[in-house]
Amino acid sequence: MASTPFRSRRIVVACGLVVAFMLVIARLVNLQVMQSAALTVKADRQHQKNVMLEGARGTIYDRNSKVLAMNMDVPSVFGVPASLGNPGVTARNLSPILHVKATELEKKLKQEKHFVWLARKLEPEQGRRLERLALDGVGVVMEGRRFYPKGPLLSHVLGFAGMDDRGLEGVELRYEQYLRGEKRAVVLQRDALGRAVFPKGLNEEGAAGGHSLTLTVDEVIQYIAEKELDEAVSRSNAKSGTIIVMDPKTGAVLAMAVSPRFDPNTVGALAPDRWRNRALTDTYEPGSTMKTVIAAAALEEKVMTPGSMIYGENGQFSIANTVIHDHEKTGWMTFSQMIQKSSNIGAAKVGMALGEWRVFDYLKDFGFGDKTGIDLPGETVGLLRGPRQWGKRSLASISMGQEVGVTPLQMVTAVSAIANGGVLMKPFVVSEIRNAKGQLVAQTMPQAKRRVISADTARTLTTLLEGVVTSGTGGKAGIPGFRVAGKTGTAQKVDPRTGAYSSTLLVGSFLGYVPAEDPRLAMIVVIDEPRGEGWGGVVAAPVFRRVGEQVLNYLGVAVDEPVKLAMAGLES
Amino acid sequence: MKAVAFAAVTSLVLLFVWERVDIVRIGYHIERLKAQKVLLERERDELRVKLSGLTAPERIARLASDKLGMMQPEKGQVVVINIEPEAPANPVVAEGEVRIAKNIVTRRAR
C-alpha cells in the first residue's frame, strides 16, 4: 500500500489532469460549438476557391465542316507593380515580346496599383516566350480569343466577337445565345500550396462550351465569289460590290460576298461602314432587273404573252409631263423582245396594262417592302410605297425599276422564286446547331413562304430570260454548255448634290440563274458606281459568267446543252 | 488471442490510413493529368486554327499560281457531262459524272 504523502501527490496529479482535460474540453466546446460558424467560414475561405468558369465560344463551320471561326485560349499578361524591383528593366525585357514600347510598359508598371494589364490576348508563341523569361511581378493568364483562320473570307456574314467574347456583328451577333459558352461558378477545394484537392476538385465539371453552327455557305464558292467581285470592283474603279449565290430550291445562301472586304481578326481600327453587310442593309434602285417581276406579273395575269406586240414609240414616250427614253429606238416589238432589249417604254406600258394595284401586289408577293427574314442582323425592308402615295409617273417608273428601293438579297430571293417554279423561299445561312457534345440541337429546313406565280408562268418567263442572254443585253453572262436565264440592270443613282438622277453615278447589276432548266444557282451581281461604262451587261454580266462557270464546275453540274469546241488545239 | 485481435485492429487502421493517403495521391495525379489535358487541348486548338488557315482557298490558289504555275481553266475548258449509270466506263470516275479537260494548256513559264 502506498504511503499517505505518495497518495496525496497522486490525488494532486489526478486533479491536475482532470482540470487540464476540463480546460481542453472547454476550449474544444468553445471552438467547435461557440465559434463554430465563424471558424467554418474562415476555414472555407482558406481551403476553398471560388472560380467562375466560362465555356469556350462555339465554333462556326461552313457546309463542309471547314472551320470559319473558333475560340482558342491565348495568354494575357499582367503586372503586379508592388512586386517589381526595377520596372525599367522588366519593361525592357517585355518590350520585344509584347511588341509594345518599353517606355509605355514602364509607365504602366510604375502605377500605384496592385494589378495592371500589360497586353491581352496575345499569340500562343508570345506566351511561351514569357514563360521561359519567368519575370518576377509579371504573370500570364489564359483567356479565350476568337480566331477567324480564313481571314477576310465571309467576314460580312460571320461578323465578329469583341474583346469580351460577345458577338457584335453578323452570325456572331445573331446567334449569340447559342454560341456563348456556359457560365458556371464552381468551388474548388485546395491544399496549402493552392492545388486542387481530390475528391471535390475532381467532381467539378468544367463549364460546357457554346453550341457550334454549320452554315449553308460553301467556303470554295464564297472564295470564288469574293475573288471575282474584288477583281470586278477594282477593274471598274467602283465604290463597292455585292454578289449573292443562292440555292433557288431551298433558299440556302451558298455565298454572300461584299467588296471591299475586312479582316475580322483586326477589326478594331476599321470604321463601322466597312463591316456593314451591304447585301441586306443597303437599298438601291434595281433598274431593269425589276422587269423580271413585272414580266412575271403580266404573264401570270395573262395581260401579256411572249408574242404580244408592244409599240416602242421610237425610243421616246411622254408620260406625266416627263419623257421616258430607250437606249434603242424601237417601233413594234414582241413582249419577248421587250425583255431581251430591256425596253423602258415597253416595261412602262406593261405596268400600265397591269394597273397600280396589281403591280404593287406582285411586288409585295415577291417580297419587296418586307424583310426576307434571313437569319442575319441589320436587314432592311427597302422602300416600296403603297399606290395611294404614288405620283402620276410612279407606275411607269416602278415598272422599270425606279422609285423603289430593294436590297440585293430581296432581288436574289425574288428571282429564286422564278427559278424554282414559282415559290418564294425564306433565305437562311445557318443550317445546323449542335451542342458541345455534338448532339443536334436545331436544324433549319427550307421554308416556302408562298407561291407567287404558277409553274407554267415560271417556265415561260425562264424562256424569255434565256433570250436576254442568248440574244439580248446579257450576252456576256453566257456560260458555255449551260442555258442561262437572267436580266441585266442599270440604274441611275440620285446625285446628292443636285437631288436629280445622275448620268454618271450608276448601279450595274445582273440577276439570273443557271442551268435554266433545272437551276442549281441563283445569283445577283451588283456593282455600285463603276467608272466608265456602267451598264449591267458590261460590268456585272461577265462576273456572273465567271462565278457561274467556276461554281458549276466545282459542284460537278453536267452541261445541259451541246458545247462548242472552240479551244486552242481543237479549233479548226 | 489478444495479440491476434490487436494485430487485426492495427491492420484495419493501417489499411484505412493507406487508403486515404492513396486516394489523395491518386487525386493529385488526376489533377496533374487534367492540367496536361488542358495543355493538349490548347495545342489541338492551336493546330486546328493553323490547319484552317493553311487550307484557306485563297492561300491554296495563291500557292498554286505563284509556286506551281497553275492557272484557272479557260472559258469552256472543263465540261462535266452525265453518263448512263448502267455503263460505268471507268471505275475511278465518280458515279454519274465525268470531267473532261478538253484542252491541255502549255504550262506557264515560271
Side-chain angles (χ1 to χ4, degrees):
Chain A
M1 232 178 131
S3 60
T4 307
F6 186 69
R7 194 187 304 136
S8 60
R9 278 204 299 272
R10 271 202 319 189
I11 289 167
V12 169
V13 169
C15 287
L17 283 173
V18 167
V19 170
F21 272 111
M22 292 284 282
L23 285 172
V24 169
I25 287 167
R27 180 65 178 153
L28 280 174
V29 169
N30 178 262
L31 290 174
Q32 299 285 340
V33 181
M34 316 273 290
Q35 296 189 52
S36 168
L39 289 175
T40 304
V41 170
K42 195 174 177 184
D44 284 351
R45 207 176 294 147
Q46 288 173 355
H47 299 149
Q48 294 180 352
K49 187 182 178 186
N50 294 315
V51 181
M52 181 60 79
L53 295 179
E54 188 166 1
R57 194 171 175 80
T59 302
I60 303 177
Y61 300 97
D62 87 334
R63 69 187 299 128
N64 297 315
S65 301
K66 303 278 176 64
V67 173
L68 297 172
M70 69 173 285
N71 257 45
M72 190 167 89
D73 280 345
V74 292
S76 288
V77 190
F78 63 90
V80 185
S83 310
L84 284 171
N86 189 335
V89 173
T90 308
R92 278 194 294 281
N93 284 329
L94 287 172
S95 176
I97 299 173
L98 303 183
H99 309 304
V100 180
K101 282 181 185 171
T103 47
E104 268 181 50
L105 290 171
E106 192 177 347
K107 199 174 161 188
K108 282 184 181 176
L109 290 170
K110 280 182 174 171
Q111 292 178 57
E112 286 184 10
K113 286 182 178 175
H114 293 293
F115 178 96
V116 60
W117 282 117
L118 298 176
R120 292 186 69 184
K121 303 198 174 181
L122 302 166
E123 295 297 324
E125 183 51 33
Q126 289 173 288
R128 286 192 277 270
R129 287 178 67 188
L130 280 167
E131 275 173 19
R132 284 197 291 272
L133 212 57
L135 292 170
D136 285 337
V138 174
V140 175
V141 289
M142 301 306 280
E143 289 188 291
R145 176 177 148 188
R146 200 66 167 158
F147 279 87
Y148 302 91
K150 313 284 184 188
L153 191 85
L154 196 65
S155 51
H156 288 91
V157 172
L158 290 174
F160 54 89
M163 184 61 95
D164 60 352
D165 235 14
R166 295 283 174 271
L168 298 176
E169 274 291 332
V171 168
E172 295 273 26
L173 172 62
R174 173 66 178 74
Y175 285 91
E176 169 67 16
Q177 56 172 321
Y178 294 102
L179 287 166
R180 192 172 49 213
E182 183 195 20
K183 223 174 185 181
R184 202 150 67 88
V186 295
V187 181
L188 295 179
Q189 200 77 18
R190 61 181 182 176
D191 64 9
L193 297 175
R195 297 173 300 186
V197 177
F198 180 83
K200 193 157 183 177
L202 185 75
N203 290 339
E204 292 291 356
E205 279 189 18
H211 294 357
S212 65
L213 306 179
T214 302
L215 305 189
T216 57
V217 174
D218 185 309
E219 70 164 15
V220 175
I221 300 176
Q222 179 69 25
Y223 162 69
I224 293 167
E226 288 189 11
K227 180 189 66 160
E228 295 298 341
L229 182 65
D230 276 353
E231 281 177 19
V233 167
S234 159
R235 204 169 34 240
S236 59
N237 275 321
K239 187 177 158 189
S240 63
T242 305
I243 292 180
I244 304 174
V245 185
M246 185 177 277
D247 177 348
K249 291 169 189 166
T250 62
V253 174
L254 300 175
M256 188 180 276
V258 174
S259 181
R261 305 186 293 165
F262 73 94
D263 186 346
N265 293 300
T266 53
V267 79
L270 290 175
D273 187 51
R274 282 293 297 278
W275 66 65
R276 195 175 72 239
N277 186 353
R278 295 164 194 267
L280 46 103
T281 60
D282 286 18
T283 57
Y284 70 106
E285 286 187 313
S288 299
T289 49
M290 187 55 96
K291 290 170 189 165
T292 50
V293 178
I294 301 300
L299 290 169
E300 181 73 9
E301 292 294 316
K302 304 202 184 333
V303 169
M304 293 283 159
T305 64
S308 299
M309 297 303 290
I310 304 169
Y311 185 56
E313 309 282 347
N314 289 316
Q316 280 200 357
F317 181 45
S318 296
I319 184 166
N321 297 324
T322 59
V323 181
I324 297 173
H325 295 276
D326 267 341
H327 58 277
E328 195 177 322
K329 289 179 181 175
T330 311
W332 285 98
M333 58 186 156
T334 61
F335 178 65
S336 172
Q337 287 168 329
M338 183 278 284
I339 299 289
Q340 284 173 21
K341 294 178 178 187
S342 196
S343 164
N344 290 332
I345 294 168
K349 287 190 170 183
V350 172
M352 288 156 77
L354 277 164
E356 291 180 342
W357 280 102
R358 278 199 289 194
V359 166
F360 176 76
D361 287 345
Y362 272 92
L363 289 174
K364 284 297 275 186
D365 273 358
F366 270 95
F368 299 105
D370 290 316
K371 291 183 180 179
T372 62
I374 194 169
D375 46 345
L376 285 172
E379 187 184 13
T380 181
V381 296
L383 175 70
L384 177 64
R385 292 172 296 152
R388 290 194 180 87
Q389 296 167 283
W390 290 4
K392 285 179 182 168
R393 195 191 135 133
S394 294
L395 180 58
S397 294
I398 289 170
S399 301
M400 53 194 215
Q402 292 182 337
E403 285 192 41
V404 59
V406 303
T407 63
L409 182 65
Q410 286 175 328
M411 286 306 295
V412 77
T413 307
V415 86
S416 291
I418 299 167
N420 69 24
V423 180
L424 188 74
M425 303 300 295
K426 182 179 173 183
F428 62 103
V429 293
V430 171
S431 60
E432 273 184 12
I433 303 174
R434 289 180 181 274
N435 65 16
K437 290 177 181 167
Q439 295 158 330
L440 191 66
V441 173
Q443 193 169 24
T444 311
M445 300 308 287
Q447 194 181 328
K449 287 171 127 177
R450 56 188 165 268
R451 176 166 282 284
V452 288
I453 50 171
S454 67
D456 279 347
T457 301
R459 265 193 298 275
T460 308
L461 187 54
T462 294
T463 310
L464 299 187
L465 294 176
E466 280 184 65
V468 173
V469 178
T470 54
S471 44
T473 53
K476 290 186 176 176
I479 301 172
F482 292 96
R483 288 164 54 199
V484 177
K487 183 75 193 75
T488 55
T490 310
Q492 293 171 291
K493 291 179 81 172
V494 174
D495 190 333
R497 289 171 301 175
T498 60
Y501 281 114
S502 163
S503 57
T504 54
L505 300 177
L506 304 172
V507 178
S509 60
F510 188 87
L511 178 69
Y513 47 95
V514 61
E517 181 69 25
D518 181 20
R520 294 286 300 274
L521 313 170
M523 193 191 321
I524 185 166
V525 179
V526 181
I527 309 290
D528 187 19
E529 292 187 23
R531 302 274 169 83
E533 271 199 297
W535 300 101
V538 176
V539 293
V543 184
F544 180 96
R545 177 185 66 73
R546 278 193 289 274
V547 174
E549 189 171 30
Q550 291 173 59
V551 173
L552 290 168
N553 275 335
Y554 166 68
L555 294 175
V557 180
V559 293
D560 67 347
E561 65 173 11
V563 187
K564 264 190 180 174
L565 301 180
M567 275 72 67
L570 293 171
E571 203 171 17
S572 58
Chain B
M1 190 61 193
K2 275 185 181 174
V4 173
F6 179 76
V9 170
T10 309
S11 300
L12 280 173
V13 169
L14 286 175
L15 188 68
F16 176 77
V17 171
W18 172 82
E19 186 203 17
R20 301 307 302 175
V21 168
D22 209 42
I23 285 172
V24 171
R25 187 182 62 79
I26 290 171
Y28 280 129
H29 185 61
I30 289 170
E31 287 302 324
R32 274 198 302 278
L33 290 175
K34 278 168 77 178
Q36 204 177 337
K37 180 175 166 245
V38 168
L39 288 177
L40 288 171
E41 279 172 350
R42 270 184 206 146
E43 198 178 334
R44 177 203 62 193
D45 290 346
E46 203 178 323
L47 289 171
R48 279 181 76 195
V49 169
K50 264 189 194 162
L51 175 71
S52 179
L54 291 172
T55 55
E58 197 165 349
R59 178 180 173 274
I60 304 253
R62 194 174 56 245
L63 289 179
S65 64
D66 294 353
K67 287 201 170 175
L68 304 175
M70 296 170 87
M71 55 202 289
Q72 283 289 333
E74 295 292 321
K75 185 176 175 182
Q77 278 181 334
V78 175
V79 178
V80 180
I81 59 169
N82 273 328
I83 56 170
E84 292 301 318
E86 61 269 19
N90 185 348
V92 178
V93 175
E95 195 182 325
E97 66 182 41
V98 62
R99 282 167 181 258
I100 303 176
K102 295 192 303 179
N103 183 31
I104 309 299
V105 179
T106 314
R107 194 168 159 174
R108 200 170 65 184
R110 278 185 237 176

